Amino acid sequence: MSQNDTDIFERMLSGGRIQHTDPQMHLVWEQVALTLRLSPALNSSPNVEQTRERLSEIIGSEIDQSTIVFIPFYTNFGRHIRMGKNVFINHACSFLDLGGITIEDDVQIGPKVNLITENHPIDPAQRKSLELKVIHLKRNVWIGAGATILPGVTIGENSIVAAGAVVNKDVPPIL
């Protein structure tokens, strides 16, 4: 099956390289433009309920009433974020979600946390292309303030990531 036959969004969630010259890349840029248009309203929401509603519009699915997101909140894409119940996301978090971010139930995310699913090839001739890998935060994870989770990382159930950590490998669950 060729790249032209497979939806670019499915390929993005499957991980790997997306060429910057991909014939479907314009669809990604259209979603990015929509997210950029919706973000100012999100980040001027007067209460948690409206924040939840506006973020639900950006990600394309309803966020559970038990989940709380404090603004400002930043995402470049939005459609590849999935959130469970009883999630808490503190101020000034940045989710680059082209590769997919899954946040299970009861996760706590401290302020200024970065979840980054995107990278670029080292080869200068390929550098505008994307290297995508999903991030998965399992149930009851706590991510400390200012931590950065890099592409392809799974944080295991009940685990804690220290404030300021840069995580480039999976963190095992605490059972």
Side-chain angles (χ1 to χ4, degrees), residues 39-58:
S39 291
L42 165 67
N43 286 315
S44 63
S45 298
N47 55 55
V48 172
E49 292 77 21
Q50 194 170 81
T51 298
R52 193 180 305 111
E53 290 171 13
R54 289 176 173 172
L55 186 54
S56 292
E57 184 178 3
I58 288 172

Side-chain angles (χ1 to χ4, degrees), residues 147-165:
T148 297
I149 312 299
L150 295 175
V153 170
T154 295
I155 308 297
E157 186 172 339
N158 298 314
S159 292
I160 298 170
V161 172

